[in-house]
Amino acid sequence: MFCKTLTASDTSTHGGFSVPRRAAEDCFPPLDYTQQRPSQELVAKDLHGFEWRFRHIYRGQPRRHLLTTGWSAFVNKKKLVSGDAVLFLRGEDGELRLGFRRAAQGKRGAKFSVLSGEQLNQSSLIDAVNAISKRSVFNICYNPRASSSEFIIPLHKFLKSLDLSFYVGMRFRTRFETEDAAERRYMGIITRISDLDPVRWPGSKWRCLVVCMCYIH
Amino acid sequence: MFCKTLTASDTSTHGGFSVPRRAAEDCFPPLDYTQQRPSQELVAKDLHGFEWRFRHIYRGQPRRHLLTTGWSAFVNKKKLVSGDAVLFLRGEDGELRLGFRRAAQGKRGAKFSVLSGEQLNQSSLIDAVNAISKRSVFNICYNPRASSSEFIIPLHKFLKSLDLSFYVGMRFRTRFETEDAAERRYMGIITRISDLDPVRWPGSKWRCLVVCMCYIH
DNA sequence: TTCCATTGTCGGCCTTTCCGACAAAAGGT
DNA sequence: ACCTTTTGTCGGAAAGGCCGACAATGGAA
């Protein structure tokens, strides 16, 4: 998995996407480095299951990894700008996935400091606990796309959700980001409620809701 | 419905697709001719249900209908070359559909003479019957995409198919053209057999097979 | 044959995209 | 502080693609 904040060059129409070396080597299928300009086609699915195709090439002096053909289509469709971040990740099935996160628009509070490419580990968790006990500052790597369902949400939203009891048959409305970043609203109904992960997180407040939804035109 | 054999200009990277005037006026939604360069976005589905978007513009001196943006993507994906034909058709629901037919590669026999844009009508059928009785020559407009399931096939294939009895549960293999014109093979099983159209064609040898298929990787 | 409507091809021009050069930035000793 | 590795930005070149000019084509008068 890797995450990169887009530079001006990455988002300009003038060129492609400069892939951090480690990222390319960890995440993408290996290239044939005996060739002068090794390249391959990458296919990555986004959250909606849509496939994006990129030409991945290793070239330049000094050599570096680049995504060329296909990249600008992605940037345009998602309306990405310098400062936004993209994220590539290899699923358990080996399939390549990608997502993006827009730069904080400087609106309200809750702005998280993002560390690139590192999983939450034991020691950083201990550091956080220590920081809390001392009431000092600590950083959080918040990356909802890196794992399936572990989120950080504002405390007031969490508390508010506890007041609400979800039940099968309950109706709701929600919205999703679409390919063109236009806001689309959906309505739906809850069809099943279960524990998120009874083994790893017994008694967790998190619920897993199976829903049936449809697009509101 | 209209069909056009692609010219060198239509398939070159230099420009777009020149739409025959009649075709555009019969088949596409009308443009606002009060504007200097009237244009609109066309959406057309191919056989696989995939949507293609084209900019349809009426411009130039003298004025003519053109497809610009989106056209080259279609040509590239389908790997169309000069001599191939494209076909637009308005479905019963008013929806625009498109398909293409590759130029005969000059391989085997059975090369049909194609008349553009005309439906088979009563009188031409009578002409054909007369021609057969006199053992003289007649032309056939063969266009499998213009109607759902009326095909012309070589006699020997038809006779061979009569020797074969289809049954529910029978396995088969077939292949489809994909977006990139690569050959993809499928295997499947027949799940239902019925008459093609018991009302219009009672006792027809044509069968309607409902199948369940999957892609062979 | 002549005229006219249609449409195929081209040059001009602008944008997009690909490439290595180079330098700035990051990281290690 | 110095050197090495990595990567951001740029100019140059090639390709893509939109435009009307003009000519070739074919049908009608």
Side-chain angles (χ1 to χ4, degrees):
Chain A
M1 195 270 285
F2 83 89
C3 179
K4 184 195 172 186
T5 299
L6 298 177
T7 66
S9 293
D10 289 333
T11 52
S12 86
T13 62
H14 192 62
F17 173 63
S18 188
V19 188
R21 179 190 164 77
R22 259 307 156 63
E25 288 173 357
D26 289 355
C27 224
F28 298 159
L31 291 167
D32 173 11
Y33 292 105
T34 64
Q35 293 177 37
Q36 205 224 330
R37 279 199 296 256
S39 72
Q40 64 183 328
E41 184 180 51
L42 293 181
V43 182
K45 275 191 185 172
D46 66 18
L47 275 179
H48 312 292
F50 190 89
E51 287 186 353
W52 297 92
R53 285 158 194 276
F54 304 105
R55 189 161 97 108
H56 168 208
I57 190 169
Y58 185 68
R59 64 164 171 82
Q61 202 50 251
R63 294 261 178 279
R64 91 282 315 273
H65 294 269
L66 297 164
L67 299 187
T68 58
T69 311
W71 174 251
S72 78
F74 179 71
V75 169
N76 291 335
K77 255 315 194 188
K78 302 295 193 184
K79 297 200 198 306
L80 297 178
V81 296
S82 167
D84 294 345
V86 289
L87 184 152
F88 281 84
L89 114 92
R90 251 170 127 64
E92 291 179 10
D93 47 2
E95 216 178 9
L96 200 59
R97 308 215 150 241
L98 89 169
F100 64 91
R101 193 174 44 81
R102 300 197 187 285
Q105 302 283 318
K107 282 181 182 173
R108 294 147 299 172
K111 187 177 163 187
F112 298 106
S113 171
V114 177
L115 303 169
S116 75
E118 291 302 317
Q119 200 108 16
L120 204 63
N121 58 35
Q122 193 72 23
S123 66
S124 61
L125 246 183
I126 292 172
D127 290 346
V129 171
N130 286 338
I132 290 171
S133 67
K134 294 178 196 162
R135 297 195 152 274
S136 69
V137 177
F138 63 98
N139 291 318
I140 291 172
C141 174
Y142 172 59
N143 207 329
R145 292 195 179 84
S147 54
S148 62
S149 49
E150 290 161 356
F151 295 98
I152 294 172
I153 58 167
L155 179 63
H156 72 91
K157 283 200 178 180
F158 173 74
L159 294 176
K160 197 171 156 195
S161 75
L162 291 183
D163 289 340
L164 213 61
S165 62
F166 296 102
Y167 55 91
V168 170
M170 186 175 185
R171 287 162 194 281
F172 65 92
R173 282 169 174 263
T174 186
R175 55 182 61 163
F176 275 111
E177 153 206 282
T178 58
E179 293 313 322
D180 52 348
E183 189 179 271
R184 282 203 177 158
R185 290 165 305 149
Y186 289 78
M187 58 178 290
I189 191 167
I190 297 174
T191 59
R192 205 167 70 214
I193 299 180
S194 63
D195 269 20
L196 181 65
D197 189 335
V199 179
R200 290 180 57 202
W201 305 108
S204 165
K205 298 286 187 191
W206 285 99
R207 308 276 81 192
C208 176
L209 307 182
V210 179
V211 302
C212 179
M213 295 201 311
C214 73
Y215 172 46
I216 306 170
H217 195 58
Chain B
M1 194 270 285
F2 84 89
C3 178
K4 183 195 173 189
T5 300
L6 298 177
T7 66
S9 293
D10 289 333
T11 51
S12 86
T13 61
H14 193 60
F17 173 63
S18 188
V19 189
R21 178 190 165 79
R22 260 305 158 62
E25 287 172 358
D26 290 355
C27 223
F28 299 160
L31 291 167
D32 173 11
Y33 292 105
T34 65
Q35 293 177 37
Q36 205 226 329
R37 276 198 298 257
S39 72
Q40 65 183 327
E41 184 181 49
L42 294 181
V43 182
K45 274 191 187 174
D46 66 18
L47 276 179
H48 312 290
F50 190 89
E51 286 186 352
W52 296 92
R53 285 158 195 276
F54 304 104
R55 190 161 99 106
H56 168 209
I57 190 168
Y58 185 67
R59 63 165 172 82
Q61 203 52 251
R63 295 261 178 277
R64 90 284 312 273
H65 293 269
L66 296 165
L67 299 187
T68 58
T69 311
W71 173 252
S72 78
F74 179 71
V75 169
N76 290 335
K77 256 318 194 180
K78 302 294 194 185
K79 296 201 197 308
L80 297 178
V81 296
S82 167
D84 294 345
V86 288
L87 184 151
F88 282 84
L89 114 93
R90 252 171 127 64
E92 290 177 11
D93 48 1
E95 217 179 10
L96 199 60
R97 307 215 150 241
L98 89 168
F100 63 92
R101 194 173 45 80
R102 302 201 185 283
Q105 303 283 320
K107 280 181 184 174
R108 294 147 299 170
K111 188 175 161 186
F112 297 105
S113 171
V114 177
L115 303 169
S116 74
E118 292 302 317
Q119 202 108 18
L120 204 64
N121 59 34
Q122 192 72 22
S123 67
S124 61
L125 247 183
I126 292 172
D127 288 347
V129 171
N130 286 339
I132 290 172
S133 67
K134 293 178 195 162
R135 297 193 153 273
S136 70
V137 177
F138 64 98
N139 292 318
I140 292 172
C141 175
Y142 171 60
N143 207 330
R145 292 197 178 83
S147 54
S148 62
S149 49
E150 289 160 359
F151 295 98
I152 294 173
I153 58 167
L155 178 63
H156 72 89
K157 284 199 178 179
F158 174 73
L159 294 177
K160 197 171 155 194
S161 76
L162 292 183
D163 290 339
L164 213 61
S165 62
F166 297 102
Y167 55 91
V168 170
M170 187 176 183
R171 290 161 191 281
F172 64 92
R173 284 167 173 264
T174 186
R175 55 183 62 164
F176 276 112
E177 155 205 280
T178 57
E179 292 312 325
D180 53 347
E183 189 179 270
R184 283 203 177 160
R185 290 165 306 148
Y186 289 78
M187 57 178 290
I189 190 167
I190 297 174
T191 60
R192 206 166 71 215
I193 299 180
S194 62
D195 269 22
L196 181 64
D197 189 335
V199 178
R200 290 179 58 202
W201 305 107
S204 165
K205 298 286 188 190
W206 283 100
R207 309 276 79 192
C208 176
L209 307 183
V210 179
V211 301
C212 178
M213 293 201 312
C214 72
Y215 171 46
I216 306 170
H217 195 59

